[in-house]
Amino acid sequence: MTVLKDIIIDLGQLKRASKEFDIEHWFDSIFDQLDLEYQAQHRVLEGRPDCLIGDVIIDYKYDITEKEIENWVKTKGSQYINEYFSTRSKYPTLLIVISEEFIFYYNKDLILQNKREITKKAIISLVESLLGPKIIDSEQFAILFGVNSPMYILAYSRLDRHFIERKGDETVCFQQWKKHFSLAYHDEDVGKELFLRHSYLSMLLKLILYKEFMEPNEYARDSFKELENYFELLGISLFHYDFFRWVINVQDLCDDFFGKLKLIEFEATDIFRAIYQEMIIAGVRHRLGEYYTPESLCRKMVEKEYKLGMRVLDSSCGSGTFLIETLKKIDDNFTFSHDPPQEWFDAVNNVFGFDINPIAILTSKANMLLYLKTHQEWI
């Protein structure tokens, strides 16, 4: 099977399109090379959208203004979504309209979530988000769910709308979060956008941990509480300083994302490293002087300096890259054909992380728990 990095993305050919069929053919050729399963128009809904991939409807347009696209979405796009619901008893995740210049993302309510200029990065983000279940690493996870992904665009809009419309626990959480973050961030940086980004990442972390450790078939409203209780019985305080608990109120969003995440397997590594870095707005990060040590450098430092039994503290642990590399180094000293010796437990219990950022603490804990899942019976 061809992988995306091996595909030559000739944007010039797309820019030279002279009719709608040229655009459709260009994308179909990429889908075909990747063995991406899709249904062409003659096999989809009676309204005949150009393409259906999973629960995403795609339609191609040529030489059309944004106003004309907007009118098309309100009429034909609405028909596609309603027919999809009537035949499947659920709504599509996205309606995507692609022209020779832009990609338009609409949610099930036909609200424009994002408009992205056709670039190689935009194409990769689109196609990666449509690929089927697979084992993914940190970079691939960020492509699928990071700030430039269709999934993030959809989630941010729904979180934002819920946050604006509700004034209960959402407001309390925001004020608590703002008070805490104001200790380190400038007041102008501690705003709704950063809060929603952190809330989104928190939702992902919790859903993945719920999937991996509880192994449920579906998400339920009390799932996060069930997860919290599970880890508390193990002596692990997972949601301390949980300013993002309000997300459980957006249950349909959690349902949708759990359905996506349960199809994915994760590498036993710092899976959240790349997406964590995206969640801090670049300007804010630069003003704070935050710097994320590359994974390769962390690995070299641990390889050179760590000796079994050392006490390790990363006082600005971020997503936990140093901590994960240390755990890997510890495991290299043992074989696990039977229960590990006390020396292994002592070494693991001497690995510590600290960070002023609560979302960093949650991310580090999630990363370490996912790595240690192979030793789940000993946690």
Side-chain angles (χ1 to χ4, degrees), residues 10 29 61 102 155 158 179 187 197 199 274 286 293 307 320 326:
D10 182 5
S29 67
K61 299 296 175 191
F102 297 100
R158 289 162 76 174
K179 181 179 180 180
D187 286 341
R197 285 192 180 200
S199 298
H286 295 155
T293 310
K307 300 294 185 294
T326 303

Side-chain angles (χ1 to χ4, degrees), residues 337-365:
S337 57
H338 50 77
D339 290 355
Q342 185 61 42
E343 193 178 10
W344 180 85
F345 288 101
D346 293 341
V348 170
N349 287 329
N350 269 323
V351 179
F352 300 90
F354 175 83
D355 204 291
I356 195 172
N357 186 342
I359 197 66
I361 296 299
L362 177 58
T363 305
S364 291
K365 286 182 178 179

Side-chain angles (χ1 to χ4, degrees), residues 6 21 24 30 34 63-64 84 112 118 149 230 234-235 244 252 288 296 322-323 331 345 353 358:
D6 296 327
F21 174 79
E24 181 177 354
I30 290 182
L34 292 166
D63 193 22
I64 186 172
Y84 185 99
L112 180 63
I118 295 283
S149 70
Y230 171 80
L234 298 174
F244 316 110
D252 60 338
L288 287 173
S296 59
F322 267 113
L323 307 179
D331 278 354
F345 288 101

Side-chain angles (χ1 to χ4, degrees), residues 24-37:
E24 181 177 354
H25 179 71
W26 189 89
F27 278 93
D28 284 353
S29 67
I30 290 182
F31 297 159
D32 287 338
Q33 291 178 73
L34 292 166
D35 293 330
L36 185 59
E37 294 185 7

Side-chain angles (χ1 to χ4, degrees), residues 64-67 69-70 94-99 101-107 111-119 122 147-150 153-154:
I64 186 172
T65 67
E66 289 189 34
K67 184 64 177 177
I69 288 178
E70 183 180 332
L94 288 170
L95 169 65
I96 300 177
V97 182
I98 301 176
S99 72
E101 295 182 333
F102 297 100
I103 303 175
F104 300 85
Y105 294 92
Y106 292 87
N107 65 13
I111 297 173
L112 180 63
Q113 305 298 293
N114 197 23
K115 181 185 81 171
R116 297 195 65 185
E117 184 179 357
I118 295 283
T119 63
V147 295
N148 292 312
S149 70
I153 295 164
L154 174 69

Side-chain angles (χ1 to χ4, degrees), residues 315-378:
S315 57
S316 299
C317 62
S319 64
T321 304
F322 267 113
L323 307 179
I324 295 295
E325 291 301 324
T326 303
L327 293 177
K328 290 180 182 178
K329 182 67 174 178
I330 291 171
D331 278 354
D332 288 344
N333 288 274
F334 300 94
T335 57
F336 293 97
S337 57
H338 50 77
D339 290 355
Q342 185 61 42
E343 193 178 10
W344 180 85
F345 288 101
D346 293 341
V348 170
N349 287 329
N350 269 323
V351 179
F352 300 90
F354 175 83
D355 204 291
I356 195 172
N357 186 342
I359 197 66
I361 296 299
L362 177 58
T363 305
S364 291
K365 286 182 178 179
N367 261 327
M368 294 179 74
L369 287 168
L370 287 176
Y371 176 79
L372 291 169
K373 186 174 183 291
T374 54
H375 310 314
Q376 184 174 352
E377 65 270 31
W378 305 317

Side-chain angles (χ1 to χ4, degrees), residues 253-350:
L253 179 63
C254 293
D255 286 339
D256 290 347
F257 269 73
F258 183 76
K260 299 289 185 184
L261 291 167
K262 71 179 182 180
L263 300 175
I264 298 173
E265 298 298 329
F266 305 97
E267 288 188 353
T269 184
D270 183 3
I271 188 67
F272 303 117
R273 173 178 51 82
I275 196 171
Y276 170 79
Q277 294 174 19
E278 289 186 359
M279 290 301 128
I280 304 297
I281 300 168
V284 176
R285 186 170 70 243
H286 295 155
R287 283 193 293 275
L288 287 173
E290 291 189 8
Y291 177 76
Y292 303 122
T293 310
E295 187 176 23
S296 59
L297 181 57
C298 291
R299 186 176 302 114
K300 288 180 180 178
M301 293 175 68
V302 171
E303 285 288 339
K304 182 178 180 180
E305 299 296 336
Y306 179 77
K307 300 294 185 294
L308 190 65
M310 278 185 172
R311 179 165 292 187
V312 176
L313 169 64
D314 185 351
S315 57
S316 299
C317 62
S319 64
T321 304
F322 267 113
L323 307 179
I324 295 295
E325 291 301 324
T326 303
L327 293 177
K328 290 180 182 178
K329 182 67 174 178
I330 291 171
D331 278 354
D332 288 344
N333 288 274
F334 300 94
T335 57
F336 293 97
S337 57
H338 50 77
D339 290 355
Q342 185 61 42
E343 193 178 10
W344 180 85
F345 288 101
D346 293 341
V348 170
N349 287 329
N350 269 323

Side-chain angles (χ1 to χ4, degrees), residues 49 55-59 72-74 76-78 80-81 92-97 104-108 110-112:
D55 58 359
V56 176
I57 298 173
I58 299 177
D59 212 84
W72 178 90
V73 167
K74 290 178 180 178
K76 204 68 173 179
S78 177
Y80 292 165
I81 287 177
T93 300
L94 288 170
L95 169 65
I96 300 177
V97 182
F104 300 85
Y105 294 92
Y106 292 87
N107 65 13
K108 65 181 179 62
L110 302 178
I111 297 173
L112 180 63

